[in-house]
Structures are given as structure tokens and as C-alpha cells.
Amino acid sequence: EPEVTQTPSHQVTQMGQEVILRCVPISNHLYFYWYRQILGQKVEFLVSFYNNEISEKSEIFDDQFSVERPDGSNFTLKIRSTKLEDSAMYFCASSGTGTGGFSGGSSYEQYFGPGTRLTVT
Amino acid sequence: RKEVEQDPGPFNVPEGATVAFNCTYSNSASQSFFWYRQDCRKEPKLLMSVYSSGNEDGRFTAQLNRASQYISLLIRDSKLSDSATYLCVVRGSTGGGNKLTFGTGTQLKVEL
């Protein structure tokens, strides 16, 4: 079964440093997302991306954040100058479009990668 | 009012029990509804989509009441492996690019 992959699994960085989190969405999916989950809290939406541009973003996704699809397979989240409060689990997700989908599910369903645990010290 | 509200639990049940989780959502324009399961420090995994007519997948049954803005999940014959946090999730549109809004989750512990 196709799956979303993410690297690295754990990233430790110092406050003020730039980090890039990487994701490989499911190959025939067209919509890509980043979510984050601070320890003990709910999963929160950051940004969605379609057709090489941001389609929606949350208040969390400020100027310190950017996303990019540098090639046909990768989808990245960059945090320009990390803060302590950026420490969280970052999940990438993808979804298809139209009808049908693998495993018989709706192609609008979002499938999540295993996450990158970001620790800012 | 929270966008998606769930009882945090934990629900401690014996193996073989039937357990039900409830969820309410505040945005009446929400169009798509899901239950995800999340194991400790892992990613949310899609358990099932929830349709207006209700749907069943093996031991799991999901119901949606749009008038009351209420979603439920029933797990029959609980297994130890069902122990996890169950996340109620809504999306605003049937389009493919809309954000998911998560509840805080309901923790289930199935015991021998």
C-alpha cells in the first residue's frame, strides 16, 4: 500500500536556526499538507498546497514558515528561525482528487506520514 | 465553543466490551467527517470516513447526525490492539484541498 514518508524522524536544532523538514507524498496525490502536534495537544493544520501554490494556511503559518515542492516527489517545510515553541511533531499528509482511490477509499481522504519530531533547544 | 469536541476519556474497558465515542462539531458547513486512530507518538491513521447514512467496517460503526452536528463511533468486541486515541475529524468542503480540524481525541484502554 502506498504511504507518505518523512525525513528525518527526529531533528534537534538550536533556537534561531533554520530547519527543513522533508516529505514524499503518495505518488498520484495532488494535494499536500503540513500539520503539527505539540506534545499533549491536538493535531493542528498549518498549510495546504496544490498546483505549486499554497491553497490555505493557518494563523500559525507565519512568515517564518515556507513550503516548497522542489521536484516531482518531495514536499518540504522550512522554518527560517526556529523558536522554542516550534518544538512539536510535524506531520505531512497528502490526498488525491476526483473519484476512487487506492484501497477503495475516497481520494479526498488525507493520509499522514510518520512525522518528524522537532526539538528546539 | 471548540470546533470539534470530544470526551478525552480515558475509557478503560475489558476485552470483548462494546464502547462508544461521541463527538460534536460547531461548523454547520462542515461536509466531510472522519475517525482517525492515533497510537502514542505516532501519526494519525484513517480509521473510517463517516457518511450521513452511517457506515460499518467490521467491528466499527460510524454514525453522523447533521441536524445535531454529532458524530459517533461504536467499537464492538474490543481487542487489546484497539487501545489508542480516537480522533474525531471534520473538513469544511467536499473539495480535495481543505484542512482537517481535529478534536483532542478520546483515549481508549482495553484491558484483559
Side-chain angles (χ1 to χ4, degrees), chain A residues 63-82:
Chain A
D63 292 343
Q64 292 300 311
F65 291 88
S66 62
V67 289
E68 194 179 30
R69 185 146 164 87
D71 53 45
S73 58
N74 289 284
F75 179 52
T76 62
L77 174 69
K78 182 194 288 187
I79 309 176
R80 230 177 306 279
S81 178
T82 50

Side-chain angles (χ1 to χ4, degrees), chain A residues 33 35 37 95 108-110 113, chain B residues 36 38 43 49 91 94 96:
Chain A
Y33 313 84
Y35 293 83
Q37 186 174 32
S95 65
Y108 291 138
E109 293 164 348
Q110 294 182 25
Chain B
Y36 279 75
Q38 187 174 33
E43 76 273 24
S49 300
R91 187 175 64 201
T94 51

Side-chain angles (χ1 to χ4, degrees), chain A residues 91-104:
Chain A
F91 294 110
C92 174
S94 68
S95 65
T97 186
T99 58
F102 75 88
S103 300

Side-chain angles (χ1 to χ4, degrees), chain A residues 31 33 35 37 39 42-43 45 48 55-56 89 91 95 108-114 117, chain B residues 34 36 38 41-44 46 49 51 87 91 94-100 102-104:
Chain A
Y31 292 89
Y33 313 84
Y35 293 83
Q37 186 174 32
L39 189 63
K42 66 178 183 177
V43 177
F45 168 78
S48 60
S55 50
E56 191 174 1
M89 192 74 148
F91 294 110
S95 65
Y108 291 138
E109 293 164 348
Q110 294 182 25
Y111 296 88
F112 285 72
R117 180 168 302 282
Chain B
F34 310 91
Y36 279 75
Q38 187 174 33
R41 295 184 171 235
K42 301 283 190 183
E43 76 273 24
L46 180 64
S49 300
Y51 304 117
L87 308 175
R91 187 175 64 201
T94 51
N98 291 94
K99 68 176 187 180
L100 299 181
F102 285 76
T104 52

Side-chain angles (χ1 to χ4, degrees), chain A residues 35-71:
Chain A
Y35 293 83
R36 79 170 187 192
Q37 186 174 32
I38 294 170
L39 189 63
Q41 297 186 23
K42 66 178 183 177
V43 177
E44 300 174 290
F45 168 78
L46 292 178
V47 65
S48 60
F49 191 86
Y50 170 71
N51 200 26
N52 281 318
E53 60 183 28
I54 291 173
S55 50
E56 191 174 1
K57 61 183 180 179
S58 71
E59 289 178 356
I60 302 167
F61 194 88
D62 62 21
D63 292 343
Q64 292 300 311
F65 291 88
S66 62
V67 289
E68 194 179 30
R69 185 146 164 87
D71 53 45

